[in-house]
Amino acid sequence: MNGKFVYSGLFERVFVQPASHDAGGALGAALAVDQQTRRGAVAPLTDVYWGTDVPDTARILDILAGWAPWLDAAPQDDPCETGAALMADRKVIGWVQGRSEFGPRALGNRSILADPRPAEHKDIINRMVKKREAYRPFAPSVLEERVGDFFVVPPTQRDFPYMSVVLQVQPEQRDVLGAVAHVDGTARVQTVRQEVNPRYWRLIEAFGRRTGVPVVLNTSFNN
């Protein structure tokens, strides 16, 4: 329905509050108190990275040392380049950074990521971690400045940062994006802006340099 509003031509821009379920009540309560006490204009929402932060590298390595018989842990000089190389090699990665997302969607801070091109990645990730119905599509994260190359967007809006709008995949890209294009030729898109999430943006940009496709499959790292 949100996508239909975007394509309707009735509005120049469509904003959908990214936690439009029960958790949104907390945000509404905070905004109500803010208006009662401050009575100023509410600043536009730029991100929802409001949750728990990750510890520093030394603490992470200390925790992971307890799992030494089952995994190897080592700091990376450039996690973005390492992650992009792994995905380009058809590996599925867990990507955790900074503060977790508020709301129902993983938006690049608590995400499982993979190459969006091979259609079989849907089944692989379902078998590995998601354990959900096979027909449910995974979402793409795309560099905001390249969204129009892969998805049909209106002339007045190119930012869809909260994975809350379904867009049509450009017809010539539907076979390219085999793991994230739904059977009806749509996708639930997240656009990524460099100044909002620079590390996630660099990861996708690095993957794009390797593959020509600055898009990654993104699903929540919740299992």
Side-chain angles (χ1 to χ4, degrees):
M1 183 59 70
N2 297 338
K4 290 185 182 298
F5 282 126
V6 167
Y7 288 132
S8 69
L10 295 171
F11 312 101
E12 290 186 358
R13 295 179 54 80
V14 174
F15 170 78
V16 181
Q17 197 273 103
S20 297
H21 61 339
D22 287 354
L27 181 57
L31 287 169
V33 172
D34 179 74
Q35 288 299 290
Q36 292 166 7
T37 57
R38 192 169 58 89
R39 299 183 183 276
V42 177
L45 192 65
T46 58
D47 70 81
V48 288
Y49 303 114
W50 304 338
T52 304
D53 205 347
V54 294
D56 60 29
T57 300
R59 177 60 179 147
I60 291 172
L61 290 173
D62 183 55
I63 294 169
L64 293 179
W67 296 81
W70 297 279
L71 60 83
D72 298 317
Q76 301 297 306
D77 292 333
D78 192 333
C80 297
E81 294 292 340
T82 301
L86 288 168
M87 288 188 291
D89 194 33
R90 305 297 174 92
K91 300 294 193 301
V92 177
I93 69 172
W95 182 260
V96 177
Q97 58 157 344
R99 298 177 65 173
S100 62
E101 302 89 338
F102 174 73
R105 306 297 174 210
L107 300 171
N109 281 19
R110 302 290 185 275
S111 292
I112 294 167
L113 305 174
D115 188 336
R117 298 171 298 170
E120 61 268 22
H121 273 181
K122 290 184 287 187
D123 295 330
I124 290 171
I125 294 172
N126 259 328
R127 288 198 305 269
M128 288 172 58
V129 286
K130 299 300 286 189
K131 317 295 186 190
R132 68 184 194 177
E133 300 89 347
Y135 65 82
R136 293 173 62 184
F138 292 110
S141 295
V142 58
L143 301 184
E144 183 179 299
E145 57 267 42
R146 296 291 304 278
V147 62
D149 296 341
F150 296 90
F151 306 97
V152 179
V153 294
T156 55
Q157 184 170 359
R158 299 176 64 84
D159 58 314
F160 303 93
Y162 303 118
M163 212 182 283
S164 56
V165 172
V166 167
L167 299 177
Q168 297 168 14
V169 182
Q170 294 283 8
E172 67 275 13
Q173 301 290 359
R174 291 178 184 177
D175 290 337
V176 175
L177 300 178
V180 295
H182 196 34
V183 292
D184 63 354
T186 65
R188 180 163 47 84
V189 175
Q190 177 201 4
T191 55
V192 180
R193 183 175 295 179
Q194 184 173 11
E195 55 265 35
V196 171
N197 196 333
R199 185 179 287 118
Y200 191 38
W201 186 95
R202 290 201 307 273
L203 173 72
I204 301 171
E205 190 274 335
F207 179 78
R209 277 190 276 107
R210 285 170 166 79
T211 65
V213 179
V215 183
V216 298
L217 179 157
N218 175 13
T219 190
S220 52
F221 198 174
N222 59 0
N223 191 10

